[in-house]
Each structure stands twice: as C-alpha cells, then as structure tokens.
Amino acid sequence: MLVPADMLAAQSKMLYQINKYYGERVQTRMATIAKTIRDVCKVVQDVLKEVEVQEPRFISSLTECNGRYEGLEVISPIEFEAVLYLNQMGVFNFVDDGTLPGCAVLKLSDGRKRSMSLWVEFITASGYLSARKIRSRFQTLVAQACDKCSYRDSVKMIADTTEVKLRIRERYIVQITPAFKCSGVWPRSGAHWPIPHIPWPHPNLAAEVKTEGFDLLSKESVAVQGKQSAMEGDAWVLSFLEAENRLLQGGCRRRCLSILKTLRDRHLDLPGNPVTSYHLKTLLLYECEKHPRESEWDEACIGDRINGIFLQLISCLQCRRCPHYFLPNLDLFKGKSPTALENAAKQVWRLTREMLTNTRCLEKL
C-alpha cells in the first residue's frame, strides 16, 4: 500500500515525540511509583506479619519477584491495592447468577461440610461464605497490627469505611483486600467472551487466559449498593487482573497503557475521579479487538491507538456508560456524577484535539 510521503513524515515526527515523552515523562512516573511501592510494601508486609501472628488463617501473600509485587495494583501514583490471597476455598461452590453485576457468592457445596471449612464462623445460616464478615474480622486484626508493628508511627488505619485501608506516611493509601483465587474456572457472566468472529485474542491465548481464571475480592461494590439484596454483604467482587495483564502482552500494548496512565495523571485527574487508569485499561482491551492484527500494534501505530482510545473514552463519557471488558453488564461509570462525566468528556476532547492536530503536542502535555 502506498502511503503519501507527508503522512509518513507526520507519523515519524509523532513517533519521535512519543518516544521522547516515554523517556522523559512516562519512565520518570514509573520510577517514582516503583520507589513508592518498595517503601509502602515494607510497611504493609510488617503489618501483615503482625496479623499472621494473631490469626494464622490470614497469611501474607504479598511477595516480591524481580522487583514486582504479586497481587499489588497501582490505582494512582499515591493509591494502591494489595490483594491478600486466602486458602481453602474447597468446600464452596462458586455461584454467579447475574443478580449482582460483577459479583458472585460462595455457597457451601454440602451443608454437612460446614464444620470442615477453615472459615466456619463466617458462613451464614443459608450456607454462604460472607465477604463482609471475613473483611470485618480482618479489619479488626489490621487495626491491632498497626498499633504493634515497627512502623506504627507512620501507618494509620482509615476510619469510616468497611474496607481495610491504610494511610502511610500521611501521603499514600493502600487498600488490603482479602481474596480467593479461582483457577481453571470461568464465570458464567463472562461466558460470551471471547466474542466469535473477532480474530483477537487468538484462541490459544483466550484458552490460556480462561485457565488462569480470576479472583474473588472482599470489597464494596458500586454495582451492589442500593440493591436491597440479602446476599449483598455476602457477595464477592470479580476481578480479572491477571487475565487483563496476560492479554496486554505483546506489541506496544503495555507501552501504550503506560503513556495513557501518564496523560491521565497529568491532565485527567479531575474532581469526582471520572476517569481512572482502569477505564483506560478497559478501553485499551476494546481497542485490541478493533485492531486485531499484530502489525497494528507496532511502535509506529502507537499515536493512532492512543487517539482511538481517547475517542472511545469521549463516546463513553457522553453516553455515561463504560462496560467492563469481560462483564459488559457491569457499568464502570456507575456511581459517578453526570456533571463529573460531562466535564471529563470536554477535557478529553481538548486533549484529543491537541493530539490529532499538533504533532509536537507532547512537548507541552
């Protein structure tokens, strides 16, 4: 295919700008966050060590591997979530019947097995393992551990929430979320994935992702709030962190996400938090479906992919709906104020217009 020379020139100018931006802004952000993670994880590990002494069922799973911490997610440069994997889910069946979007329950497979469960006192009369009851017990233990641990002067428990949240050095927030890993199963609410007739992801990759499974987190869910369901407090939130990360390997997908997160932190950190890194990661996965060929994820295409994701974001903000990648019935904008979404749409449009019309825009962004 013949491409006009001026178009090639514009593309190479943009690529030069993107690489420069990546080297100057993105890598600086990544290095700062990596240092923060090392600092906060020392504190969190110390707190969890104290918890484990009090209650051996809560074993810390926050381990370092090649400078990365398993189960730690960066929400923003000052906010993190650490997942604490619990053992022995064995006697429970995983049930997601769609009544609570993005959530599922764990039900005793047989009433006679109640006493065999490691978590017996957290099982409700109806046989459900209550996410809220486990979290409540964990919260009490973490509060005690904060007073005893060697970092007690620099770590405080955040009150007025049912979540387990720590404020570290008055600056950083780390949420510690109890969870179960569900390997080798896939939720019914995500059964439509991968969509037939779309060439991405390749069937082998999709099979690998499904085998990897997902996590069940004990945390508050916007989707559940306001639903007067008896199961509301017992429900666990579905999380596909590993699956998402596996899908974003290859080509310049990860690089693209790092640039998007940097642009978000610098220009879209808005009142009401309408645009999060997770929204951008979700739209990047949809962009992968729209551009299924590996050649479309070459370094030279990164500018086009970023613009495509921003155009998708504007559309979602205007429609006030951003469907979860694996669970499209779950709206990631639920609970956000219409005004915040409207303001964000205008701001993203300003940013996108700048990127579409000015090849040197990244010097200022």
Side-chain angles (χ1 to χ4, degrees), residues 167-182:
R167 190 185 302 283
I168 296 173
R169 307 197 206 291
E170 293 296 332
R171 207 166 159 210
Y172 305 109
I173 293 173
V174 182
Q175 177 166 331
I176 311 175
T177 305
F180 284 107
K181 213 179 228 330
C182 300

Side-chain angles (χ1 to χ4, degrees), residues 21 23 29 46 48 64 98 182 193 215 236 253 255 272 276 282 299 310 318 321 340 353:
Y21 189 79
R29 174 188 182 271
D46 200 54
L48 290 176
E64 189 185 357
C182 300
W193 186 87
D215 292 341
W236 297 75
R253 292 175 179 88
R255 194 180 183 93
T276 64
T282 300
E299 214 182 18
F310 276 152
Q318 287 173 338
R321 191 166 193 283
R353 193 172 50 205

Side-chain angles (χ1 to χ4, degrees), residues 130-148:
S130 170
R132 188 185 286 162
K133 285 183 176 178
I134 283 189
R135 190 164 73 247
S136 172
R137 172 79 181 123
F138 182 57
Q139 193 175 36
T140 308
L141 292 165
V142 171
Q144 291 165 358
C146 284
D147 295 337
K148 287 182 183 164

Side-chain angles (χ1 to χ4, degrees), residues 162-229:
T162 75
E163 308 283 22
V164 179
K165 282 190 178 183
L166 304 178
R167 190 185 302 283
I168 296 173
R169 307 197 206 291
E170 293 296 332
R171 207 166 159 210
Y172 305 109
I173 293 173
V174 182
Q175 177 166 331
I176 311 175
T177 305
F180 284 107
K181 213 179 228 330
C182 300
S183 303
V185 278
W186 194 251
R188 216 164 67 178
S189 45
H192 69 285
W193 186 87
I195 298 164
H197 322 305
I198 291 184
W200 187 90
H202 186 276
N204 294 356
L205 177 56
E208 202 180 303
V209 163
K210 284 190 159 182
T211 309
E212 182 77 43
F214 55 95
D215 292 341
L216 289 177
L217 309 182
S218 168
K219 65 196 288 191
E220 288 176 12
S221 160
V222 184
V224 171
Q225 282 159 13
K227 287 207 182 213
Q228 295 309 310
S229 159

